[in-house]
Amino acid sequence: MADASLTQGTLAGLAALIRAKKVSPVEVVEAHIARIEALEPRLNAFITRTFDAARATAKQAEAEIAAGGYRGPLHGVPIAFKDLYWTKGVRTTSGSTVTGDFVPDEDATVVRLLAEAGAVSLGKTNMVEYAYGGTEHNEAYGPPCNPWDTGRITGGSSSGSAAAVASGEAAMALGSDTAGSIRGPASLCGLVGHKPTYGLVSRHGASPLSWSQDHVGPLTRTVEDAALTLDVIAGHDPLDPASADAPRVDYASALAGGVKGMRIGVPSNHVWASTHPEVRAAFEAALAVLEGEGASVEWVEVPGLDEISAAQVTITLAEATAFHRERIRQHPEMFHPGVRRRIETGLFLPAHAYVQAQRVRSWMEGNWAQAFSRFDLLATPTTPLAAPPFGASAVDSADGPVTTREIVRLTRLFNPNGLPACSVPCGFSGEGMPFGLQLVGRRFDDALVLRAAHAYEQAAGWHTRRPAL
């Protein structure tokens, strides 16, 4: 097994070692390759591994750094990409055999930006087929397993990305988030998962699920690592029609300052309809930590949460079906049954339902504005339960069963209006499985969201735990 100091630390820690020339990118990449080769039979985090290219990139990084050409904190650091990001000359399956042989002739914008920053790609990570699900297995490539307990799910759809980072197979992995597919796996695997403001990070070259709700973002071991990644991938891209020409922010530098004086609102409605009591206890303990750090916390009813949750589902159903309609007609037998069912259901969705969902989305803008006129951030648990065992439809609790079907019930609230949201580890269940705290901010207030998540993380200390693989 590879040196734990190279595979179990943080991206920022690796960057410091590489910059100081205490370790070479070649050593770091070889340590991660050894880790992958040792763990993949148990975890199944990767669909495609690109070790030869990684070794060549690591040697180039080593030579550049030795010559004084250090590019920044990602230079020489091993990462991975969810397999819906286009990678020039490397197959991009989107988790499906339908597109299992697709080889793009260009890189996604974020792939290019990370390569320009000197990051070393180890390969493409496993995922729910076409990113359409929070818990489904991948029948084509097998299910990724949770490093904390390989008999449990990692969450979806960025399942392999979460497994790779939590296990030490990669220092960072990109995911995508349409209803919680970055934040959910982060919560279930004890990671940080940041969903940036819609339009802050380019989606060009990311195979879509719901074009108006898809977000590109990182899964990392710490908030600092997420901020360092965001510093590289954020920015206007004319190739993405939804890309925003927002002012540049140094997210890593903006982490300092703490939460003293911040006003944090906690929704008293919708969130608690079906939430495991262990999750609620961990969440309330997290609120106490934030208050101890100087934030004020207030419970408040936020109108429209039930409605925006339903609208998110409707919008996804319509837009995903619009994108996949020809594939589902030509190759229905090749789709995962759950994914096929959703796409085919969308064929019968009436136009007025999509229009009404868009009206709810517009109406909700006012409700969010009202909430953020009183509060700097909103806080909820990330998921209503810890990672369930494979095949479980519900998890028992003292308050009754908590269904696994609603695992994205708390994350999907914030996708239709493109709000930035970050999940940060906030405790463990009695069975030793992680929970996440979700912090949400105004559009383009990612720096504040990350600052609060960082302050909580450092005060609580849950991020230092690693699964005992």
Side-chain angles (χ1 to χ4, degrees), residues 191-230:
L191 299 172
V192 171
H194 184 64
K195 178 185 82 69
T197 299
Y198 183 79
L200 183 63
V201 179
S202 174
R203 302 160 309 146
H204 175 70
S207 299
L209 174 62
S210 171
W211 70 269
S212 69
Q213 300 182 105
D214 294 342
H215 298 65
V216 172
L219 290 115
T220 59
R221 296 193 191 108
T222 67
V223 178
E224 181 184 16
D225 291 353
L228 289 169
T229 304
L230 193 58

